[in-house]
């Protein structure tokens, strides 16, 4: 079976960013443990962050996750 390639995830607001980061990790084929290694944190931290949908995460942490996943985020401010 072929793996489906997804070119982009669309978010209509920054509120949807945590869910998009979780989906991006999955689409990249990374486990929570592998993402933790890239972030230099324990796997349990990634598990907590994702379970809470990054609710208590700083903007800096979100940027680190975005960079670790090697994804581009574009936001249109209106």
């Amino acid at each position: 079976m072929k793996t489906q390639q997804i070119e982009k995830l669309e978010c209509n607001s920054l509120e949807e960013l945590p869910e998009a980061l979780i989906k991006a990790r999955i689409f990249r084929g990374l486990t929570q443990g592998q993402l933790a290694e890239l972030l230099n944190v324990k796997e349990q931290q990634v598990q907590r962050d994702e379970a809470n949908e990054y609710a208590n995460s700083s903007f800096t942490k979100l940027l680190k996750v975005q960079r670790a996943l090697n994804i581009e985020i574009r936001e249109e401010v209106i």
Side-chain angles (χ1 to χ4, degrees):
M1 184 162 83
K2 272 189 171 179
T3 304
Q4 184 179 5
Q5 294 296 320
I6 298 189
E7 292 184 23
K8 68 178 178 176
L9 294 168
E10 291 196 22
C11 295
N12 294 314
S13 71
L14 287 175
E15 291 171 344
E16 296 176 9
L17 180 59
E19 183 180 352
L21 290 174
I22 295 167
K23 286 180 179 179
R25 176 190 59 78
I26 294 166
F27 293 148
R28 287 276 191 237
L30 295 175
T31 65
Q32 290 176 328
Q34 291 168 321
L35 178 57
E37 285 182 31
L38 292 171
L39 296 170
N40 199 28
V41 299
K42 295 186 185 228
E43 182 176 357
Q44 291 82 1
Q45 182 62 53
V46 173
Q47 290 170 345
R48 278 192 301 273
D49 288 340
E50 289 191 358
N52 295 322
E53 294 187 331
Y54 292 98
N56 297 316
S57 299
S58 67
F59 185 68
T60 301
K61 179 182 267 188
L62 295 175
L63 288 176
K64 286 180 182 177
V65 173
Q66 175 254 322
R67 288 184 192 119
L69 293 171
N70 193 29
I71 58 173
E72 180 181 339
I73 297 174
R74 294 186 214 157
E75 178 66 28
E76 183 177 23
V77 179
I78 300 174

